[in-house]
Amino acid sequence: MVKKYIQNFIKYTPLLFLLTSRDFKLKYRRSFLGVLWSMLNPLLIMVVVTSVFSVLLKVKASDIGMPFAVFYITGSLIFNFFSEATSSSMTAVVSNASLIQKVYLPKYIFIFEKCAFSLINMLLSAIAVLFVLLYYVIKGEVTVHITIFLIFIPMFLTFLFSIGVGLILSTLTVFFRDIVHIWGVILTIWLYLTPIVYPIEILKSSKIDWVVRLNPLYYFVDDLRSLMVLGEFPCLDHLLIEGVVCFFVLVFGVFLFKKAQDKFILHI
Amino acid sequence: MEYKNDDVAVFVDNVSIHFNMSSERITSLKEYFIKLVKRQLFYKKFIALENVNIKIKKGQVYGIVGLNGSGKSTLLKVICGILKPTYGEVFVKGKISPLIELGAGFNMELTARENIFLNGAVLGYSKKFMNEKFDEIVEFSEMEKFLDVPMKNYSSGMVARVAFSVATVVKPDILIVDEILSVGDFRFQEKCNERIKEMMKGKTTVILVSHQMEQIEKMCDNVLWLDHGHVKMVGKTREVCEVYKNS
């Protein structure tokens, strides 16, 4: 049984690669700077956000342990990936309706593809993050530690989490197109409940502190920062929470998707 | 259990397909809950196929006839595995190549070269295989000059040429043909017919759906007549066609 699934997956891996490269080509076709935009974009947004928030919020570097620009761009790296991966997987099944109605294909391929494409974009943006880091290292405001080589751990966990959420969203979208409209709102709420522009310490005394601590993205963001900038290994209970959350979201997503996928064709 | 018989390629075992046709399609959550609370979630049952049994032997050319909406395409979709039957089961032995919709999965922004590889992957062919067969595909389609042009600039006939060439590059065990022999200009149609006949001569099992009775009579060994989802008649081509034409 399991062997059959694996064989089927291997058979369609070329499709996974080709779909990803299709997305890649279409994204940058006819743009002058092409793939550079994946690095340039987060940098420009970082400059804007940093200049706005250093005036508005007056977060001190000593409070967050790193310059605000670094604090922001590391947080948004994870969140942007999650937001892009889930939004695009959400419509992955519906927008490939013409294909699904005509040829037999394992349908989860489309969700995998969107998440893989977003992962590539995140890795490209990570290069921009490294440049920012380098800038502050040269300025002497940040020191880089050996733990930086472990940043793939929170990235990979976010990837798994996004696949799980993507599977759930894409299934729901087939039956209720409302999801497409509401997800943008949910993502905005989620963004503000994740410590990306503010340090979590600000919330210590407030009532929504526990909400933020329920947010899996907080742990991914926090771990990325500690590995990348602070040189600390994420504490064990963080990793445990992340592992459990990823596992359950992924299992639930696979279960829901598998149960509903035969009905997709009647609703797309 | 008869399936274990080695010479059966496709075995459709008592398959029924029922659709729930709600009077209006509910695609919003609000609507769904309102109707759920009001208990207005009624469905009309639509029977697309009812108790269909077919056994197609290896190497046979099997025709399916019937009026529009009689369930021919639904049956093909079940055999391909796109639709899951509500009741019953389908057993298929060997690799299916569906010529149901040509060019499914073509992206018009991409060039023909990119689309050929993409379409090959959609049909489940490996990259190595596509590399080997690429020249053959291009040669058959006669589109060498336009390989690196985005396909949105192609005419529909040109698109169909490329699509047919990709879809028939393998010699599948089971070939499913749904009204596609009217592809491109007459010269290319002849070429297509040639290629399909070549496959029929080999060990390929062919399932052919067509409204052109001539074609069915010329090519098929056995014919199935579907009427409103029910099997009206199965048998030798000449017998079934005669009754069908006079009905």
Side-chain angles (χ1 to χ4, degrees):
Chain A
M1 204 50 176
V2 175
K3 200 180 153 201
K4 213 179 90 193
Y5 282 118
I6 294 173
Q7 273 174 351
N8 211 20
F9 179 74
I10 292 171
K11 183 177 165 194
Y12 283 98
T13 39
L15 180 63
L16 195 62
F17 283 116
L18 280 170
L19 286 174
T20 317
S21 79
R22 174 194 73 178
D23 274 2
F24 203 76
K25 277 178 199 152
L26 290 179
K27 185 172 179 188
Y28 298 114
R29 183 152 285 183
R30 273 179 220 180
S31 82
F32 187 65
L33 291 177
V35 75
L36 262 181
W37 278 115
S38 276
M39 291 165 241
L40 220 50
N41 220 11
L43 279 181
L44 293 174
I45 291 177
M46 177 202 76
V47 171
V48 174
V49 173
T50 307
S51 26
V52 171
F53 277 86
S54 57
V55 178
L56 273 181
L57 248 153
K58 301 201 176 73
V59 179
K60 279 186 215 124
S62 55
D63 289 343
I64 48 180
M66 62 190 86
F68 184 80
V70 177
F71 184 78
Y72 172 74
I73 203 170
T74 43
S76 68
L77 181 71
I78 291 282
F79 192 85
N80 285 348
F81 164 71
F82 175 73
S83 148
E84 191 192 318
T86 50
S87 310
S88 55
S89 339
M90 178 171 62
T91 53
V93 170
V94 182
S95 60
N96 283 299
S98 60
L99 212 54
I100 291 170
Q101 282 168 335
K102 282 157 202 161
V103 198
Y104 166 77
L105 287 169
K107 295 167 196 65
Y108 59 81
I109 283 277
F110 298 111
I111 285 95
F112 273 28
E113 186 261 315
K114 290 295 175 199
C115 290
F117 178 56
S118 304
L119 184 69
I120 293 173
N121 283 334
M122 170 162 72
L123 293 177
L124 286 170
S125 306
I127 297 175
V129 178
L130 290 179
F131 274 116
V132 173
L133 218 54
L134 189 70
Y135 171 77
Y136 282 100
V137 167
I138 292 170
K139 263 180 95 182
E141 292 178 32
V142 166
T143 42
V144 174
H145 309 266
I146 189 100
T147 49
I148 199 168
F149 292 108
L150 290 174
I151 56 169
F152 66 88
I153 296 174
M155 285 179 172
F156 183 68
L157 287 170
T158 319
F159 176 63
L160 292 183
F161 181 66
S162 304
I163 290 180
V165 175
L167 285 169
I168 298 168
L169 283 176
S170 61
T171 310
L172 293 176
T173 307
V174 171
F175 302 103
F176 306 105
R177 302 290 145 91
D178 310 57
I179 307 294
V180 178
H181 306 288
I182 197 76
W183 186 242
V185 180
I186 294 177
L187 273 179
T188 311
I189 300 171
W190 206 324
L191 171 69
Y192 286 112
L193 287 178
T194 312
I196 290 170
V197 291
Y198 59 83
I200 192 164
E201 282 72 25
I202 285 186
L203 299 174
K204 269 247 163 85
S205 48
S206 86
K207 280 171 195 156
I208 60 162
D209 180 48
W210 63 274
V211 181
V212 176
R213 285 179 197 282
L214 278 181
N215 173 6
L217 288 183
Y218 156 64
Y219 297 97
F220 301 137
V221 167
D222 201 46
D223 286 356
L224 182 76
R225 281 177 184 147
S226 37
L227 285 169
M228 208 169 195
V229 189
L230 303 176
E232 292 162 8
F233 197 76
C235 52
L236 207 61
D237 49 339
H238 268 206
L239 286 175
L240 206 66
I241 293 170
E242 288 165 17
V244 170
V245 167
C246 282
F247 178 77
F248 277 107
V249 170
L250 204 56
V251 166
F252 179 70
V254 169
F255 174 77
L256 188 74
F257 193 84
K258 196 167 164 355
K259 204 148 182 250
Q261 62 177 352
D262 291 338
K263 290 188 199 138
F264 282 180
I265 191 165
L266 307 173
H267 293 266
I268 49 181
Chain B
M1 289 305 104
E2 290 160 280
Y3 171 63
K4 285 195 174 149
N5 230 332
D6 261 353
D7 58 338
V8 176
V10 177
F11 182 38
V12 176
D13 186 13
N14 222 358
V15 161
S16 300
I17 290 206
H18 299 171
F19 292 124
N20 282 332
M21 282 210 310
S22 49
S23 23
E24 324 127 66
R25 197 156 175 178
I26 300 170
T27 51
S28 95
L29 210 59
K30 190 183 96 191
E31 234 178 289
Y32 181 80
F33 280 114
I34 290 173
K35 298 244 156 150
L36 192 73
V37 172
K38 283 183 165 175
R39 292 172 186 264
Q40 283 180 345
L41 275 177
F42 296 126
Y43 296 111
K44 244 187 275 168
K45 198 185 258 180
F46 174 74
I47 296 170
L49 289 177
E50 183 81 343
N51 297 332
V52 176
N53 283 294
I54 347 174
K55 220 184 288 169
I56 303 175
K57 287 197 180 127
K58 259 184 201 162
Q60 231 176 13
V61 180
Y62 200 88
I64 302 177
V65 295
L67 303 175
N68 289 135
S70 55
K72 302 184 297 289
S73 297
T74 310
L75 182 59
L76 292 188
K77 280 186 178 174
V78 173
I79 294 173
C80 291
I82 302 168
L83 263 178
K84 281 263 152 61
T86 322
Y87 306 106
E89 262 180 292
V90 178
F91 303 94
V92 173
K93 227 185 252 173
K95 187 169 170 37
I96 299 188
S97 177
L99 294 190
I100 296 183
E101 292 282 332
L102 287 175
F106 274 6
N107 187 312
M108 293 303 159
E109 293 288 326
L110 297 177
T111 66
R113 186 191 299 275
E114 289 159 344
N115 266 316
I116 288 174
F117 280 101
L118 185 63
N119 207 231
V122 164
L123 295 172
Y125 306 150
S126 73
K127 186 147 191 233
K128 192 171 147 245
F129 177 82
M130 286 306 288
N131 277 331
E132 283 167 14
K133 294 284 182 176
F134 183 77
D135 290 333
E136 192 187 314
I137 293 170
V138 175
E139 201 192 311
F140 189 84
S141 69
E142 300 166 20
M143 286 291 135
E144 291 93 341
K145 268 193 226 158
F146 310 103
L147 262 186
D148 293 305
V149 178
M151 281 188 89
K152 60 183 172 190
N153 301 335
Y154 274 40
S155 73
S156 55
M158 288 158 84
V159 174
R161 274 172 176 247
V162 177
F164 184 89
S165 313
V166 182
T168 54
V169 71
V170 274
K171 292 223 163 64
D173 302 312
I174 300 159
L175 181 74
I176 294 184
V177 187
D178 187 2
E179 292 286 2
I180 51 125
L181 299 175
S182 49
V183 161
D185 51 41
F186 77 97
R187 278 226 338 261
F188 193 69
Q189 275 184 36
E190 269 172 31
K191 230 168 132 180
C192 294
N193 274 325
E194 235 8 78
R195 192 165 234 194
I196 287 183
K197 269 183 205 150
E198 207 178 283
M199 285 188 186
M200 288 175 182
K201 266 186 227 149
K203 280 182 184 162
T204 305
T205 312
V206 181
I207 305 176
L208 178 72
V209 168
S210 181
H211 288 291
Q212 292 174 309
M213 291 313 288
E214 247 179 76
Q215 215 171 44
I216 296 267
E217 280 169 358
K218 219 163 50 186
M219 289 176 159
C220 298
D221 308 322
N222 281 43
V223 171
L224 168 83
W225 174 12
L226 274 180
D227 184 47
H228 290 103
H230 297 261
V231 177
K232 193 114 181 192
M233 204 173 162
V234 203
K236 286 267 167 273
T237 305
R238 205 189 302 155
E239 296 160 22
V240 178
C241 284
E242 228 155 74
V243 186
Y244 176 63
K245 276 196 281 193
N246 296 327
S247 69

